[in-house]
Amino acid sequence: MNSGSVSLGLVGGGIARSLTPAMQEREGREQGLALTYRLVDAERPGGRGFGVDDLGEVLAWAERFGLDGLNVTHPFKQAVVPLLDDLSEAAADLGAVNTVVLRNGRRVGHNTDTTGYAAALAAGLPDAPRDRVVLVGAGGAGVAVGYGLLAEGVGRLGVHDVDADRAHACAVRLSKRFGDDAVEVVTDLPGALAAADGLVNATPVGMHGHDGLPVPAELVREGLWVSDVVYFPLETELVALARSRGCRVLPGGAMAVQQAVGAFELFTGRPADAERMQRHFRELTA
């Protein structure tokens, strides 16, 4: 895709505050592209909402209106997979998609969450201990982040989710790539966090409209590093609590920028300027 005009969209629930459109449109302008980006919000206030069962219709709508691609977020990252014609190796491995390229009548799914998180962790917490890490949330984002954590050298990853079956499915998928010794399902969350080096939230808890903490406040202790994939608000309740207790933190903004870089390149066929996009993100959240 090297056309001077690119039409994109974001499909998800409660995405009105997403910064993805602004980042993509600005980078497009910087590169001389007429890039437009619209929100397709499943929870649009005052509008007609939609769910997983309507996702096929949403994709068909995007194709009929000539969109070049879609970013996909909660709660559709896994549900979109069977609706696509092909998957990248990473997306197939993860069973989750956050970027759909619509080209030549085909729908091709990719996942830039895992590479985005790995890059963010390497840059933001390069020397943080990685022997044992607890991942809370085993949905599409959780699988991708788990993959990124293990790729960045985590020795033992504990996966916790309120849905035990989902936690088990995530652990099985990750262990196929990284080995059974690298992943475990966590049912005793207090015990696991007491022995952990780091805590990563990959649930929507803390996002605007989903206020709260993904774990009980008393489990966030000094000496634990804490990472959140939620980036609106950038300072989630979890990040604020962790800072107040002296924890090293990695807010969700870094991952948001890195995954946007990957998606831009897939949509346009052009390299993105990651540093420029990071500067723009800081402007948007200042």
Side-chain angles (χ1 to χ4, degrees):
M1 167 66 66
N2 287 296
S3 169
S5 177
V6 182
S7 298
L8 306 173
L10 172 65
V11 179
I15 54 175
R17 296 175 182 266
S18 173
L19 301 182
T20 299
M23 284 193 288
Q24 298 281 2
E25 289 178 343
R26 168 72 74 84
E27 184 61 18
R29 288 196 299 272
E30 294 285 353
Q31 298 204 26
L33 292 172
L35 190 153
T36 58
Y37 198 111
R38 66 182 299 161
L39 297 181
V40 186
D41 194 344
E43 300 175 10
R44 183 178 179 181
R48 176 178 171 269
F50 63 91
V52 168
D53 292 342
D54 304 305
L55 197 51
E57 183 181 345
V58 172
L59 288 173
W61 168 88
E63 291 171 322
R64 287 196 297 271
F65 279 82
L67 269 64
D68 298 295
L70 296 168
N71 282 127
V72 180
T73 190
H74 177 81
F76 301 117
K77 291 182 179 182
Q78 292 170 314
V80 75
V81 171
L83 301 173
L84 306 179
D85 297 305
D86 200 5
L87 298 173
S88 68
E89 183 177 356
D93 201 32
L94 294 165
V97 161
N98 77 328
T99 302
V100 178
V101 176
L102 303 173
R103 192 169 301 155
N104 301 323
R106 292 179 59 78
R107 306 167 176 175
V108 181
H110 302 263
N111 194 303
T112 66
D113 282 335
T114 183
T115 52
Y117 185 81
L121 181 65
L125 295 173
D127 58 347
R130 290 164 164 72
D131 289 341
R132 300 183 72 88
V133 174
V134 173
L135 171 67
V136 178
V143 176
V145 169
Y147 193 103
L149 285 163
L150 290 164
E152 276 298 304
V154 167
R156 183 76 169 172
L157 181 68
V159 180
H160 177 80
D161 197 284
V162 293
D163 184 331
D165 289 340
R166 189 162 55 192
H168 178 73
C170 175
V172 168
R173 185 174 292 275
L174 292 173
S175 66
K176 286 181 180 178
R177 174 53 65 96
F178 296 98
D180 293 339
D181 291 341
V183 190
E184 64 182 347
V185 174
V186 167
T187 54
D188 176 12
L189 187 60
L193 283 174
D197 299 307
L199 162 66
V200 182
N201 173 44
T203 78
V205 177
M207 185 186 300
H208 284 298
H210 300 273
D211 298 340
L213 291 168
V215 301
E218 62 270 19
L219 301 184
V220 180
R221 56 174 173 78
E222 184 179 2
L224 191 70
W225 58 261
V226 175
S227 171
D228 204 333
V229 304
V230 174
Y231 75 90
F232 55 98
L234 191 59
E235 188 86 355
T236 61
E237 290 184 47
L238 177 63
V239 169
L241 175 65
R243 285 193 198 279
S244 74
R245 295 185 177 173
C247 303
R248 298 174 64 185
V249 300
L250 182 67
M255 177 183 173
V257 172
Q258 292 294 337
Q259 69 84 15
V261 166
F264 180 91
E265 294 177 348
L266 288 166
F267 289 141
T268 67
R270 301 183 179 196
D273 187 325
E275 291 185 6
R276 182 166 62 203
M277 292 183 75
Q278 182 66 57
R279 290 195 300 271
H280 184 217
F281 183 85
R282 288 197 294 267
E283 292 171 10
L284 291 169
T285 55

